[in-house]
Amino acid sequence: MYAVGIRVVGLVACVILFLFGAKGQEVAADSVRMGKVLAPVEVSDTWLHSYAVGGHSEPLDPMAIQRQAATSLGKLLQAQQGIYLKEYGPGMLSSISLRGTSASQTSLLWNGLLINFPSLGQADFSLIPNFFIDQAEVFYGGVSSLAGSGAIGGAVAVSDRVDKDLRSIGLTQEVGSFGTSFSGLKVKASGERAGISLAGFYKKSDNDYTYRNLAKVGQPIERQSHGAYMGKGLKAAAFWNPWSKGVFDLEGWLAQYDREIIPPYTVASVGDTQVDQSLRLSLGYVHSISPLLKWESRAGRIYDFIRFNGLASATTQYMWNNSIEWMPISKVQLRAGGLINHIAADVPEYGGDLTENRSNAFLMVNWFPSARWTLNAKVRQEIVAGKWNPVSPSLGADVLILKSDEVSLNWRSQISRSYRVPTLNDRYWSPGGNLNLKPEQGWNAESGFDYSIKQGKHVLKASATGFAHWIQDWILWLPQAAGYWSPVNVRNVFSRGGELSAGHEWSAGEWVLTNDVNYKLTVSQIRAGYSGDDSNIGNQLPYVPLHQGSWSVGAQTWPWHFDSQVSFYGSRYTLVDNDINLDAYTLWNLEAGRQIRAGKSLFSLSVKVDNVLGKRYENLQYRPMPGRSFSFQLNYTLNQDKK
């Protein structure tokens, strides 16, 4: 298996070298003069964005990441982009849904490495602390050619970063309602050639909020008695630039969460508990062979451990990713490489220790025929346990229709094929695992416009995207005649909709006023299924809101900032028969903060009110969420920037 993967990657690289090697050297000087050279050698995964041509992607605001350092990535995605996540309660399992797809059809990347649980196929976004995140971006739509298996609905990429020439110490302390507290420490020290960043946090919550029990006569107000959680973690990131043409980077995350699992209020608590442990290590090297040729290599070890009520399971992934980025001829930029992944699983239900080898090879090309056009083609081929998965190609285009100092109008469009390898549980669970499952696969098409205009002290930005997904071989677990459940490829789904956003920024004297709105329409319907599924054809998938959106207003002037954020989520069906739906809900959050500078020290104090109106709502059926809550955050930063 490894030999096959290495041969595929090597073949791609050798063909490229053979075809473009000589020509690339001839145009080197011209390309440098024209500015057509590769980006400088640095620790970054921004190449993902560079090759996501024609698609819709949105980075998360670094300032928002800092201000929500005490919360999870799931909360940040809800607040920043109005994305719907299924939450089993505060601090509990939080799974994402992008463009009407399932949680296992969205990839979570850490420094370019896939960290979805290989046993489950999905990621728990409540376990990703914002305190550890330096950069984050959401890629919407089918991006398997960019991100690999699982990215049918999209991908979320987070990464670490160590800035050069910086020395700082940061302390964060937050206390809030329901016995919630967060403590964090960050230390950074770096020069031009080397740097290190260390961070650690501890978070806990009694989670004893009140809720209305709709299952009891009179719908009494009750207090949550089984939902406490604790989380702690350490992070280290470093870079070393021993020479001008090469840089090493090292990242590590270690985290543990202990949770009392909140039960649905229709049943008495049985005291379920869960422990999640993770250790993520990444070592990378980037080398600039010439201004037109760059080589990158990254090795990773991803360990995940889950113990539910004393039943333990663990998976370990060993990954090695190699790629080259090259400008073989003027106006053409390409990236080619591959990934080898060895998975070891210790899951009792698999009947013993299990190992599986995976590999893939990819080729991505950007062509700049003019200053206003960018065309892109990508293709990825993956092999899992000796089986070839569907090839995933994509074509994309960005066209700058208007460009001036004041106005910009860009059109983008993309068509792609994506896939998801069946999970280890799908194939090896006993009883029920199905080794004959086919990968889920689908086609995605989208098109949209991005517009911006600047007039005096006003900046207006707007974006509109329309999309359509055709997904087939959707995997469902169904009851079998033998008395157990088993997964089968039975369902086809057609998802389509639109995404709109608009933002206005006004510099009014010493104040900066912002106003941002976004709206998502998602129609995700069953088009074909198994025999008992016929009556559900045409129905909306469960827990996919037809309408969702957000509205944010901000005001900032030194040393104050004020923010208001309103999120709306439409009604969601609980089952595919669409007989029962949960009420739509709107949440209003407020934040106010002040900064105080004293020499090289900076103090930041903020007060937050979540769910200002005390709305009682359920994200999932029978799992109520908290009402109004308060939190107070104090940040202290000592900067000794050498610049």
Side-chain angles (χ1 to χ4, degrees):
M1 173 59 188
Y2 276 103
V4 173
I6 291 172
R7 285 199 297 269
V8 172
V9 175
L11 178 61
V12 171
C14 290
V15 170
I16 294 168
L17 286 169
F18 178 76
L19 291 177
F20 298 117
K23 184 64 177 178
Q25 296 302 317
E26 293 172 7
V27 301
D30 289 340
S31 297
V32 171
R33 286 193 297 270
M34 295 170 60
K36 299 294 185 179
V37 296
L38 298 179
V41 172
E42 62 179 357
V43 179
S44 174
D45 64 353
T46 53
W47 67 266
L48 290 169
H49 182 88
S50 301
Y51 289 93
V53 176
H56 178 202
S57 64
E58 293 186 29
L60 297 180
D61 181 8
M63 183 59 67
I65 296 175
Q66 292 181 21
R67 290 178 179 172
Q68 296 197 43
T71 64
S72 68
L73 178 59
K75 290 295 185 184
L76 184 64
L77 292 172
Q78 289 175 321
Q80 281 287 291
Q81 299 190 12
I83 295 173
Y84 177 72
L85 288 96
K86 292 190 291 184
E87 295 180 281
Y88 287 74
M92 303 294 112
L93 173 63
S94 178
S95 57
I96 195 170
S97 174
L98 291 179
R99 290 187 172 178
T101 59
S102 70
S104 59
Q105 293 170 346
T106 296
S107 296
L108 177 58
L109 305 176
W110 172 67
N111 295 314
L113 302 176
L114 180 67
I115 61 173
N116 290 41
F117 299 127
S119 56
L120 301 171
Q122 61 179 283
D124 185 349
F125 283 76
S126 71
L127 303 181
I128 307 298
N130 293 331
F131 195 69
F132 282 178
I133 297 174
D134 296 308
Q135 301 173 117
E137 186 167 6
V138 180
F139 298 88
Y140 291 87
V143 291
S144 285
S145 59
L146 182 73
S149 172
I152 293 178
V156 180
V158 300
S159 58
D160 303 316
R161 180 183 180 89
V162 181
D163 293 320
K164 294 183 177 181
D165 291 325
L166 177 66
R167 290 179 293 172
S168 68
I169 297 175
L171 296 171
T172 299
Q173 181 63 55
E174 181 172 298
V175 295
S177 302
F178 319 126
T180 303
S181 65
F182 177 94
S183 302
L185 170 66
K186 287 185 177 180
V187 179
K188 300 180 180 180
S190 63
E192 276 293 325
R193 292 193 173 273
I196 187 170
S197 172
L198 302 174
F201 77 91
Y202 178 84
K203 182 176 184 178
K204 73 175 188 69
S205 177
D206 296 334
N207 233 0
D208 56 348
Y209 57 92
T210 59
Y211 64 93
R212 186 178 297 278
N213 192 327
L214 302 180
K216 291 185 177 180
V217 177
Q219 300 183 354
I221 300 297
E222 298 183 349
R223 184 171 296 276
Q224 188 62 256
S225 60
H226 187 81
Y229 64 87
M230 179 278 296
K232 55 186 177 182
L234 296 173
K235 169 193 168 181
F239 76 89
W240 178 37
N241 202 167
W243 45 77
S244 61
K245 292 188 175 182
V247 58
F248 292 90
D249 68 273
L250 174 67
E251 297 81 28
W253 283 21
L254 173 65
Q256 176 175 321
Y257 290 83
D258 297 357
R259 299 185 282 190
E260 296 177 348
I261 303 302
I262 298 176
Y265 56 64
T266 53
V267 300
S269 174
V270 294
D272 290 337
T273 62
Q274 182 168 315
V275 176
D276 295 85
Q277 295 176 345
S278 61
L279 174 61
R280 304 183 179 103
L281 299 172
S282 170
L283 174 63
Y285 178 69
V286 183
H287 187 82
S288 178
I289 300 172
S290 76
L292 301 177
L293 180 60
K294 184 166 60 176
W295 168 59
E296 298 186 29
S297 182
R298 181 169 300 280
R301 181 182 186 271
I302 311 298
Y303 171 78
D304 293 295
F305 170 88
I306 299 175
R307 184 172 66 242
F308 179 77
N309 288 344
L311 301 177
S313 63
T315 58
T316 306
Q317 301 182 76
Y318 300 91
M319 304 180 187
W320 186 30
N321 195 346
N322 279 276
S323 63
I324 60 169
E325 191 169 37
W326 203 351
M327 299 196 71
I329 58 175
S330 179
K331 299 183 180 181
V332 174
Q333 179 185 29
L334 63 84
R335 190 178 188 94
L339 170 71
I340 295 174
N341 184 7
H342 174 74
I343 302 174
D346 181 9
V347 180
E349 288 76 12
Y350 296 168
D353 293 344
L354 173 75
T355 61
E356 181 173 275
N357 296 323
R358 304 180 180 184
S359 63
N360 67 60
F362 62 84
L363 176 63
M364 308 177 187
V365 181
N366 282 340
W367 178 33
F368 311 95
S370 72
R372 293 178 179 266
W373 281 76
T374 302
L375 303 178
N376 172 271
K378 298 186 289 289
V379 63
R380 184 182 294 265
Q381 175 69 67
E382 182 166 8
I383 307 170
V384 177
K387 296 182 179 180
W388 292 72
N389 281 286
V391 64
S392 53
S394 71
L395 296 173
D398 278 349
V399 182
L400 194 57
I401 299 174
L402 296 175
K403 179 62 177 177
S404 67
D405 292 339
E406 294 80 22
V407 180
S408 173
L409 176 62
N410 183 72
W411 170 76
R412 48 184 164 75
S413 189
Q414 177 181 258
I415 184 170
S416 63
R417 187 188 191 192
S418 294
Y419 67 98
R420 182 181 76 86
V421 174
T423 68
L424 297 183
N425 283 1
D426 289 336
R427 286 175 290 141
Y428 299 110
W429 192 271
S430 179
N434 184 354
L435 291 175
N436 297 317
L437 284 172
K438 295 181 291 185
E440 296 176 340
Q441 55 183 306
W443 285 92
N444 168 75
E446 64 179 271
S447 187
F449 291 90
D450 301 303
Y451 175 76
S452 68
I453 181 171
K454 181 178 181 180
Q455 290 188 342
K457 298 181 179 181
H458 297 268
V459 177
L460 176 65
K461 295 182 179 180
S463 174
T465 304
F467 67 87
H469 281 292
W470 296 266
I471 306 170
Q472 64 185 35
D473 294 326
W474 195 300
I475 296 173
L476 288 180
W477 282 71
L478 298 175
Q480 305 298 314
Y484 54 79
W485 292 61
S486 183
V488 287
N489 298 103
V490 294
R491 180 173 286 170
N492 293 342
V493 172
F494 179 38
S495 176
R496 67 274 192 200
E499 296 152 350
L500 303 174
S501 66
H504 175 234
E505 181 179 299
W506 176 26
S507 298
E510 296 182 352
W511 287 85
V512 176
L513 307 178
T514 58
N515 192 354
D516 298 280
V517 296
N518 75 67
Y519 167 75
K520 295 178 174 64
L521 170 68
T522 307
V523 181
S524 188
Q525 297 173 323
I526 300 169
R527 287 305 192 192
Y530 56 97
S531 58
D533 206 28
D534 294 342
S535 61
N536 299 321
I537 292 177
N539 287 355
Q540 181 86 346
L541 288 183
Y543 293 106
V544 176
L546 186 65
H547 306 283
Q548 61 193 85
S550 66
W551 174 34
S552 300
V553 177
Q556 183 171 326
T557 184
W558 175 263
W560 296 94
H561 77 267
F562 304 92
D563 294 288
S564 171
Q565 196 264 333
V566 177
S567 299
F568 170 79
Y569 299 97
S571 60
R572 290 89 57 222
Y573 293 108
T574 61
L575 297 171
V576 292
D577 58 20
N578 286 188
D579 285 342
I580 300 175
N581 68 298
L582 299 180
D583 292 338
Y585 61 90
T586 300
L587 302 178
W588 180 23
N589 302 329
L590 290 175
E591 178 181 345
R594 190 182 192 280
Q595 294 181 313
I596 301 173
R597 187 178 297 279
K600 295 184 177 181
S601 295
L602 179 65
F603 297 86
S604 301
L605 176 65
S606 63
V607 180
K608 303 175 185 178
V609 185
D610 290 336
N611 195 357
V612 174
L613 301 179
K615 173 69 175 179
R616 297 191 181 275
Y617 68 102
E618 295 179 13
N619 184 298
L620 296 179
Q621 190 177 27
Y622 307 134
R623 298 181 183 273
M625 300 295 287
R628 186 184 302 108
S629 64
F630 300 86
S631 62
F632 304 86
Q633 186 179 104
L634 174 64
N635 288 287
Y636 168 73
T637 304
L638 173 62
N639 278 309
Q640 293 185 330
D641 194 333
K642 295 189 294 183
K643 290 183 178 179

